Amino acid sequence: MHKETDNQAGYQVNCQVQQETRQQSGTKYYVLGMVTGILAVFAVVLGAVGAVRLYRAVIPISRGNASSGIQSENTGSITDVNVGKKLAVLEETIGKYFWKDVAEETLEDGLYRGLLDSLDDPYSVYYTSEELIALQQQTEGIYYGIGAYIQDGDAGYVQISRVIKNTPAEESGLMQGDYIYKVNDEDMQGKDKTYVVSKIKGEEHTFVTVTVIRENAAEPIDISVERRKIESPTVEYEMYDNGMAYIQITEFDLVTTGQFESAYNQAKAEGMKGLIIDLRSNPGGNLSTVCDISRMLLPKGMIVYTEDKYGKREEYTCNGENRIEVPLVVLTNGYSASASEILAGAVKDYGIGKLVGTTTFGKGIVQKVIDLSDGSAIKLTVSSYFTPKGNNIHGIGVEPDVEVQFDAELYKNGTDNQLEKAKEVLNDMIH
């Protein structure tokens, strides 16, 4: 499975900076992700909806001490003596009356999760050391999972946004649009995408039972899926008639920069006269990756900048030496998030291309991963990001220049109406 830091869409801007966190089939398989088209990764790719990890910090703590060795009489802090006493009473009461034994580590991790949950921010999460390793692996584009993307869905359950072709997920019968109800009989309601992914991932050739809620199914469906090595093909390339090149980016993983550069160079070698970049249902990913790709396309200037609550600003720029020299169209939809919105927003602000499709998801906030000395970590939303013209698209999204709603019925008959419109717009730009 996979990738949030950052949905939504995901793990998981949800794009991760520093080395941030998010496959696709070919064009003809693409809009599996568009009928319900939700983002994120559970092929063990996150974006999800891509969280921007600006940097990593390490805070020393000692496991077994909920207050991390800090005690305070200050009533303005939750780490005071009274809170410590109450926690001790609660732990003792659970141990005495709860109907089954619970490991101390389970209670302790629950305490940390609860603290982060109290922020009422779906992107602020506590990770155990195992979950942190899974998060880090998601940035690589190679993992052991089942081969499906997930994104936040309704009713507190993540939802499969796309199933990768020729993977265990496809073989098992998992479908785009399925809600992940349980994993190995553990209820996933309210769980972060990265947490769900961590439960689905595991050793190669072992099996995981994913219980899904499917539209028009009377009861939840139990599906056993084998875990296998999944290599994320995050870029798809095709050359159409009249020199129109098509590059689909399904998410911005560490492997994506090289994949995009190869496809882009091949397009130029084959006489590209115009380019379509398809970001539909792309949940985001690494900020560093989207900035590297942006530097192959944008003019000199700002790519994106961030601001925290103190007004501190961090800028990511382009020298303009590789500005694209042919007409450009970017395809977007409501599940294009985070890093996808950074690229789409920059293209629109600079006017170097036209956006076709529907308004993007609207995730304009940034996450930071903070490592703790026991191997665990927390991810916190720390700032907002802005397009080159200073637009914060959080909760708003990036509007297309040419709006085209996706037609599922046409797609079933072999026609991707949004892509056809993009070709039409690009052809007019070329001529």
Side-chain angles (χ1 to χ4, degrees):
M1 287 215 88
H2 180 71
K3 243 175 217 192
E4 203 155 1
T5 178
D6 5 101
N7 37 346
Q8 198 177 87
Y11 192 300
Q12 235 254 353
V13 143
N14 216 353
C15 86
Q16 299 189 330
V17 158
Q18 203 190 38
Q19 247 103 321
E20 222 39 40
T21 90
R22 324 86 282 290
Q23 301 215 259
Q24 60 42 229
S25 326
T27 303
K28 60 181 180 181
Y29 298 102
Y30 169 74
V31 181
L32 282 173
M34 309 209 354
V35 181
T36 54
I38 297 110
L39 330 152
V41 199
F42 106 51
V44 205
V45 234
L46 207 0
V49 163
V52 182
R53 193 189 319 168
L54 292 180
Y55 49 98
R56 302 284 291 264
V58 178
I59 297 179
I61 67 169
S62 57
R63 167 137 335 247
N65 185 343
S67 64
S68 303
I70 301 174
Q71 288 191 337
S72 171
E73 298 292 342
N74 185 345
T75 57
S77 170
I78 64 168
T79 57
D80 63 19
V81 172
N82 289 333
V83 171
K85 289 179 179 178
K86 185 172 182 177
L87 288 173
V89 170
L90 289 174
E91 182 178 7
E92 182 180 355
T93 303
I94 291 170
K96 184 175 181 180
Y97 294 107
F98 190 60
W99 72 288
K100 62 181 179 180
D101 292 334
V102 182
E104 178 183 345
E105 184 174 347
T106 299
L107 292 175
E108 188 177 336
D109 287 338
L111 179 67
Y112 305 143
R113 293 190 200 283
L115 184 62
L116 274 294
D117 287 346
S118 71
L119 301 177
D120 194 26
D121 175 17
Y123 306 111
S124 293
V125 184
Y126 169 77
Y127 297 114
T128 64
S129 57
E130 294 80 10
E131 291 164 353
L132 180 60
I133 291 171
L135 178 67
Q136 293 167 336
Q137 289 175 344
Q138 291 168 4
T139 69
E140 298 175 2
I142 299 175
Y143 50 86
Y144 292 99
I146 66 174
Y149 288 88
I150 61 172
Q151 179 54 31
D152 294 328
D154 300 327
Y157 290 100
V158 301
Q159 189 175 21
I160 297 178
S161 61
R162 185 160 62 248
V163 175
I164 302 170
K165 185 184 177 185
N166 299 324
T167 63
E170 182 186 56
E171 295 166 6
S172 71
L174 284 170
M175 297 174 62
Q176 179 230 339
D178 285 345
Y179 288 90
I180 299 178
Y181 175 44
K182 293 182 180 180
V183 176
N184 286 335
D185 208 35
E186 179 183 350
D187 196 322
M188 293 292 112
Q189 186 173 29
K191 300 299 185 181
D192 168 79
K193 292 188 297 292
T194 303
Y195 180 82
V196 177
V197 167
S198 73
K199 295 301 178 181
I200 292 176
K201 287 178 58 181
E203 294 184 8
E204 189 175 16
H205 302 310
T206 60
F207 286 80
V208 58
T209 299
V210 180
T211 303
V212 300
I213 298 173
R214 182 172 295 169
E215 186 177 0
N216 299 323
E219 300 290 338
I221 304 169
D222 292 332
I223 300 177
S224 179
V225 194
E226 182 183 14
R227 301 172 173 114
R228 295 206 295 261
K229 182 178 181 179
I230 308 293
E231 297 187 4
S232 306
T234 62
V235 172
E236 178 79 8
Y237 165 72
E238 191 170 351
M239 179 65 81
Y240 299 135
D241 294 336
N242 302 322
M244 292 189 292
Y246 170 88
I247 299 178
Q248 180 189 24
I249 305 174
T250 56
E251 65 182 11
F252 293 92
D253 294 335
L254 295 181
V255 298
T256 307
T257 301
Q259 292 178 5
F260 177 85
E261 185 173 19
S262 295
Y264 190 43
N265 287 339
Q266 183 177 348
K268 288 188 284 189
E270 293 179 0
M272 172 179 65
K273 296 179 181 178
L275 174 63
I276 297 171
I277 296 179
D278 192 344
L279 299 179
R280 291 176 295 177
S281 295
N282 181 320
N286 303 328
L287 179 58
S288 58
T289 297
V290 71
C291 287
D292 286 343
I293 290 175
S294 296
R295 293 182 180 107
M296 301 180 201
L297 304 167
L298 298 181
K300 183 177 181 179
M302 188 75 66
I303 299 172
V304 65
Y305 67 91
T306 65
E307 285 187 0
D308 64 17
K309 66 180 179 181
Y310 304 107
K312 182 180 178 180
R313 175 164 165 162
E314 189 161 0
E315 300 180 348
Y316 302 86
T317 60
C318 174
N319 60 21
E321 293 179 358
N322 301 302
R323 174 173 177 155
I324 189 168
E325 297 179 351
V326 297
L328 172 66
V329 169
V330 177
L331 274 166
T332 63
N333 66 6
Y335 306 108
S336 305
S338 305
S340 297
E341 295 175 289
I342 287 176
L343 179 54
V347 168
K348 185 171 183 177
D349 279 6
Y350 283 114
I352 64 169
K354 290 189 179 296
L355 272 56
V356 174
T358 55
T359 302
T360 62
F361 182 81
K363 186 177 186 296
I365 51 178
V366 174
Q367 282 70 48
K368 166 186 173 182
V369 173
I370 302 171
D371 292 326
L372 306 178
S373 62
D374 65 346
S376 62
I378 61 173
K379 180 180 70 180
L380 290 175
T381 299
V382 295
S383 59
S384 299
Y385 81 80
F386 300 81
T387 69
K389 287 187 175 180
N391 298 316
N392 181 349
I393 53 83
H394 191 65
I396 301 171
V398 181
E399 293 184 358
D401 298 295
V402 180
E403 184 170 3
V404 184
Q405 295 292 331
F406 174 70
D407 191 322
E409 290 302 317
L410 282 176
Y411 186 76
K412 289 178 182 178
N413 295 321
T415 300
D416 182 343
N417 68 302
Q418 289 179 322
L419 177 57
E420 291 305 311
K421 186 62 176 181
K423 291 179 180 178
E424 178 186 324
V425 171
L426 183 59
N427 190 59
D428 290 343
M429 294 169 68
I430 292 173
H431 298 94

